[in-house]
Amino acid sequence: MNLVIDRGNTRTKFALFDHRRLVAIRTCDCITDEFLQNLVAHTNIDASIYCSVAGDAADATVMPLLHKQLPNLMTMPYNLHFPITFDYKLHELGADRIAAAVGARALVPEGALFVVDAGTCVTYDFVSADNRFECGNIAPGYELRLRAMHEFTGKLPLPEPTEPTTFMAQSTEDAMRSGAFYGLLFEIEGYLEHFRQKNSPYQLVLTGGTARLLQNQIKNCTFAEPNLVLIGLNEIIIQNSK
């Protein structure tokens, strides 16, 4: 079994793969020695990988626990081989973006890819047909747009980041929700139109926490895969276990 650990800004996902088959996913808010002991005790783990966007200070507290329970742990992106190459500055590229690009290529083996990860932030990344991570952008995600309006004004509330019920609203919370959501949707569609005008054929792969709200609104979406980062991390394990 391969164990994939994806530590985000708010929670950590643990995924077990039997080669390329996703077997199970568990989540936790806090990685503890007890949690890891229980996980390892009930699973025969052959290889593992850790990916984090939580920051160096947060990682420093958990890495000793991981190495204690997982002695052959791979750590993204250090000293690893990837099935794609990078024009983007690799030392500045988030490990989750690398994994999402690798996962997208695993799902779509041929052609150029436009990978949109709609999480806390939205990342827009372009992978060429010859497997080069060429370029990408970063923007605020749906929930972050709502939170920014709340925190940087005196009176605006903090709505739940649910799917809007109307396009143009008649209440403040609905107006914020529709403005943030459709602003994000039109932003994505603007990127897609830009690539169309450049005559650059591509396939769109969508992931992230807001993907389930967006996927039915976006035309020509090749894949909407919520576990794209996990799939990519598992591919990186396979690549580095040969």
Side-chain angles (χ1 to χ4, degrees):
M1 289 285 189
N2 292 338
L3 174 64
V4 165
I5 307 168
D6 176 25
R7 186 174 189 184
N9 290 302
T10 57
R11 62 178 183 170
T12 303
K13 291 183 180 179
F14 293 79
L16 286 169
F17 286 83
D18 183 358
H19 193 53
R20 287 187 170 91
R21 182 173 65 90
L22 180 58
V23 176
I25 297 177
R26 293 182 63 182
T27 61
C28 71
D29 295 327
C30 181
I31 302 174
T32 64
D33 196 37
E34 181 181 2
F35 178 90
L36 292 172
Q37 284 181 0
N38 183 63
L39 183 67
V40 173
H42 295 87
T43 310
N44 183 20
I45 297 172
D46 300 306
S48 59
I49 191 167
Y50 178 68
C51 172
S52 172
V53 297
D56 293 341
D59 290 337
T61 62
V62 76
M63 290 306 294
L65 300 179
L66 293 173
H67 282 298
K68 176 183 175 182
Q69 301 296 337
L70 305 164
N72 297 318
L73 179 71
M74 303 176 193
T75 305
M76 283 284 289
Y78 308 108
N79 301 315
L80 295 175
H81 301 289
F82 303 107
I84 59 177
T85 59
F86 300 90
D87 295 343
Y88 198 106
K89 294 179 180 178
L90 186 57
H91 68 281
E92 295 183 2
L93 186 58
D96 56 333
R97 293 173 68 189
I98 297 172
V102 172
R105 176 53 78 208
L107 293 178
V108 186
E110 297 182 354
L113 301 173
F114 187 48
V115 185
V116 178
D117 189 343
T120 302
C121 288
V122 185
T123 57
Y124 301 97
D125 294 320
F126 193 82
V127 179
S128 67
D130 60 351
N131 287 340
R132 289 182 298 113
F133 189 113
E134 289 189 354
C135 52
N137 285 346
I138 306 172
Y142 180 31
E143 185 174 359
L144 192 56
R145 294 171 194 228
L146 294 172
R147 188 171 295 279
M149 286 190 280
H150 169 68
E151 293 185 358
F152 287 93
T153 62
K155 295 185 177 180
L156 289 177
L158 180 60
E160 288 293 319
T162 55
E163 186 171 7
T165 57
T166 182
F167 180 68
M168 296 294 288
Q170 294 179 319
S171 71
T172 298
E173 284 202 11
D174 286 344
M176 294 173 67
R177 194 177 286 113
S178 294
F181 180 82
Y182 286 108
L184 174 57
L185 176 64
F186 295 155
E187 180 177 293
I188 295 171
E189 291 180 338
Y191 275 100
L192 300 180
E193 182 59 27
H194 172 81
F195 284 116
R196 290 191 192 100
Q197 291 181 0
K198 292 286 186 179
N199 294 315
S200 302
Y202 63 88
Q203 299 186 74
L204 171 63
V205 181
L206 180 66
T207 191
T210 312
R212 62 182 179 82
L213 303 181
L214 292 166
Q215 64 186 66
N216 294 328
Q217 303 274 357
I218 300 174
K219 297 179 181 178
N220 302 318
C221 182
T222 306
F223 275 99
E225 175 50 71
N227 298 317
L228 189 67
V229 170
L230 302 178
I231 292 169
L233 290 171
N234 185 60
E235 285 295 322
I236 293 168
I237 288 180
I238 294 171
Q239 174 82 12
N240 287 269
S241 299
K242 294 179 180 177

